[in-house]
Amino acid sequence: MDDRTRRFETVAVSEGEHPDGDGVGDVVSPIHLASTFALPGLDTSMRLEDVDPAAGEFLYSRLNNPTRHALEKRLAALEGGEFGFAFASGTAAISTLFLAVLEPGDHVVAFDDLYAGTRRMLEVLFRDRLRVDISFVDATEVENVTDALRPETRLVWMETPTNPTMKLCDVRAIAESLDEDTVLGVDNTFASPYFQRPLELGADVVAHSTTKYLNGHSDSVGGALVTDDEAVAESVQFLQQVGLGNQVAPFDAYMIMRGTKTLPARMRTHEANATVIAEYLADHDLVTAVHYPGLESHPQHDLAAAQMDGFGGMISFELAGEMADAKAFLEGLEQFTLAVSLGGVESLVELPAAMTHEPIPREERLASGVTDTLVRISVGIEHVEDLVADLERGFEAMTAAADAPLVAED
Ligand SMILES: *Cc1c(COP(=O)(O)O)cnc(C)c1O
């Protein structure tokens, strides 16, 4: 069947899995734990490149594995790309892409509002150790990206929407401004392929932390790359199979594939709940700002509406007051769990200034919009009225703490 004629929900449920594929009739792909595979006979003319997983040929599980292969096919189809690769983490996927395209002396233009781990990877590993020069720019304006380009710029690295301030960049406009030799990579973790497909917008490579929405149940760590670029795919494949050996394990491949089946249904509920909550927060007296691309008040709402098929389940908002007030708010919550990470069925909350973005110097943090009272929530798929009631509990705890008589200090 031609993948491109089937709709997203259908591909999410079935691509890569064949009920009749192994003669038993499993309707889901088995977890193939074998490290090695029996060969039909000694073929002295066989080369590694000739082993074809698509034809059911496997040699050794680091090189390829049937469960991982099924997942990689599905991820490629969901992002609308030709080549998919699954890794042990989102971090492994991203570092593998960087190593696949960069050499010492190259230059990278990156969004200045990146996932904190990716930013540290770029600074500590690529800039300080591998002599790759990096310009961090405010990519909400396309000109800031194009102004930073140099003849030796090999990679432009973007996230949209960003974490945690929910800024966007215009992927199509950036893609159109780059020459053929410059690779445009987009980390699509926050939107998921259900709401945004960067390859269709002109990106060369898409990256995911499958730990988040693709797996969707906070019970597996993994990552993925999808590309249409044959040269990039060849280089990534060499690193995944031979250079680094950082592929996803069969059990996690199965878990991620299982998660993808419900991605559309989950994303629709994440978004419906997030829309109600964003509007509730925008009306609240103790909230000074709400960052959600679905709100008309978001400065890039029009771009979000044009570039994305939906606005997702991530919201950040600023509370009135100081960090102590934010702490009181968080302590009042019972349904939202205080935890880093995102994209699971359960609602999570975190305070970036004290958690994910704590290592960033305060001035730099404030400049990128991460204030002391900025709260990030990953809105789950619970009943939205229970979530709103929980936020109400947080505001009550915040008010009670502010009204409490001050304890004398002497
Ligand atoms: C979590 C995350 C990563 C890192 O992924 P891991 O699976 O934790 O290694 C990268 N980018 C974004 C946007 C993320 O949210």
Side-chain angles (χ1 to χ4, degrees):
M1 206 179 313
D2 180 356
D3 294 341
R4 313 217 174 203
T5 65
R6 292 184 302 163
R7 290 167 184 79
F8 193 96
E9 287 81 350
T10 313
V11 171
V13 167
S14 53
E15 177 64 22
E17 285 173 298
H18 308 285
D20 52 355
D22 58 6
V24 178
D26 311 54
V27 296
V28 298
S29 174
I31 306 174
H32 289 271
L33 294 172
S35 57
T36 190
F37 301 88
L39 301 174
L42 187 64
D43 177 356
T44 51
S45 69
M46 193 188 80
R47 298 169 317 150
L48 261 188
E49 306 83 88
D50 298 334
V51 179
D52 180 11
E57 294 171 9
F58 295 90
L59 185 67
Y60 181 63
S61 269
R62 170 164 46 75
L63 303 175
N64 225 316
N65 168 283
T67 315
R68 183 174 106 222
H69 180 67
L71 171 66
E72 289 176 338
K73 270 197 81 171
R74 177 163 309 163
L75 293 172
L78 292 177
E79 282 290 359
E82 199 174 338
F83 309 100
F85 302 92
F87 296 89
S89 66
T91 303
I94 293 166
S95 59
T96 299
L97 174 69
F98 292 174
L99 288 168
V101 301
L102 297 172
E103 288 178 12
D106 284 347
H107 175 244
V108 176
V109 178
F111 209 143
D112 62 6
D113 195 27
L114 290 184
Y115 179 73
T118 305
R119 182 163 180 136
R120 270 173 62 75
M121 179 201 301
L122 282 170
E123 290 174 341
V124 176
L125 179 59
F126 287 89
R127 185 191 62 199
D128 297 347
R129 292 201 49 192
L130 301 176
R131 289 188 292 112
V132 172
D133 205 5
I134 302 160
S135 305
F136 292 103
V137 302
D138 176 0
T140 56
E141 299 294 336
V142 180
E143 300 81 77
N144 292 341
V145 175
T146 49
D147 287 353
L149 295 172
R150 302 180 196 159
E152 64 273 21
T153 306
R154 176 80 179 111
L155 173 71
V156 172
W157 182 249
M158 292 290 133
E159 283 178 24
T160 182
T162 63
N163 172 34
T165 52
M166 306 301 293
K167 291 175 198 153
L168 274 66
C169 63
D170 186 336
V171 176
R172 192 185 298 279
I174 293 172
E176 281 168 3
S177 72
L178 301 180
D179 66 31
E180 264 187 37
D181 297 336
T182 311
V183 172
L184 173 59
V186 177
D187 181 335
N188 200 27
T189 299
F190 263 44
S192 92
Y194 183 64
F195 282 142
Q196 178 170 270
R197 286 164 307 283
L199 298 181
E200 287 174 7
L201 300 168
D204 301 297
V205 191
V206 180
H208 278 282
S209 167
T210 62
T211 314
K212 317 296 168 53
Y213 286 109
L214 283 165
N215 179 70
H217 296 73
S218 306
D219 54 6
S220 142
V221 172
L225 294 175
V226 177
T227 182
D228 272 335
D229 184 317
E230 211 162 325
V232 170
E234 203 173 299
S235 182
V236 165
Q237 179 171 317
F238 168 78
L239 290 175
Q240 185 205 36
Q241 298 185 346
V242 180
L244 299 168
N246 54 1
Q247 67 291 323
V248 74
F251 182 78
D252 290 279
Y254 174 80
M255 295 293 278
I256 300 159
M257 190 152 47
R258 187 183 209 258
T260 59
K261 291 173 195 278
T262 55
L263 180 72
R266 285 186 286 111
M267 293 314 293
R268 284 195 287 262
T269 306
H270 283 299
E271 180 185 50
N273 286 357
T275 302
V276 171
I277 288 174
E279 285 168 2
Y280 160 78
L281 291 169
D283 275 347
H284 205 289
D285 289 346
L286 292 175
V287 175
T288 56
V290 181
H291 308 294
Y292 182 64
L295 290 179
E296 271 173 41
S297 60
H298 189 287
Q300 295 170 293
H301 174 69
D302 292 345
L303 173 60
Q307 176 165 280
M308 305 173 73
D309 295 335
F311 306 110
M314 296 301 298
I315 303 175
S316 63
F317 56 98
E318 282 169 49
L319 292 168
E322 295 164 14
M323 199 181 269
D325 299 288
K327 190 167 182 286
F329 173 83
L330 295 175
E331 284 169 357
L333 300 173
E334 292 171 14
Q335 184 65 43
F336 280 84
T337 301
L338 182 67
V340 299
S341 199
L342 58 114
V345 290
E346 67 290 301
S347 292
L348 301 179
V349 63
E350 71 124 351
L351 193 69
M355 296 165 67
T356 46
H357 291 61
E358 188 276 327
I360 302 171
R362 187 158 185 275
E363 293 312 308
E364 219 178 288
R365 189 158 52 64
L366 291 177
S368 72
V370 182
T371 64
D372 291 343
T373 63
L374 184 79
V375 175
R376 186 189 81 180
I377 54 178
S378 172
V379 179
I381 64 168
E382 303 93 335
H383 198 290
V384 70
E385 286 172 22
D386 292 331
L387 297 178
V388 170
D390 200 40
L391 295 170
E392 202 56 53
R393 266 193 287 276
F395 289 119
E396 278 162 20
M398 190 176 155
T399 310
D403 290 348
L406 289 176
V407 178
E409 296 204 359
D410 52 2

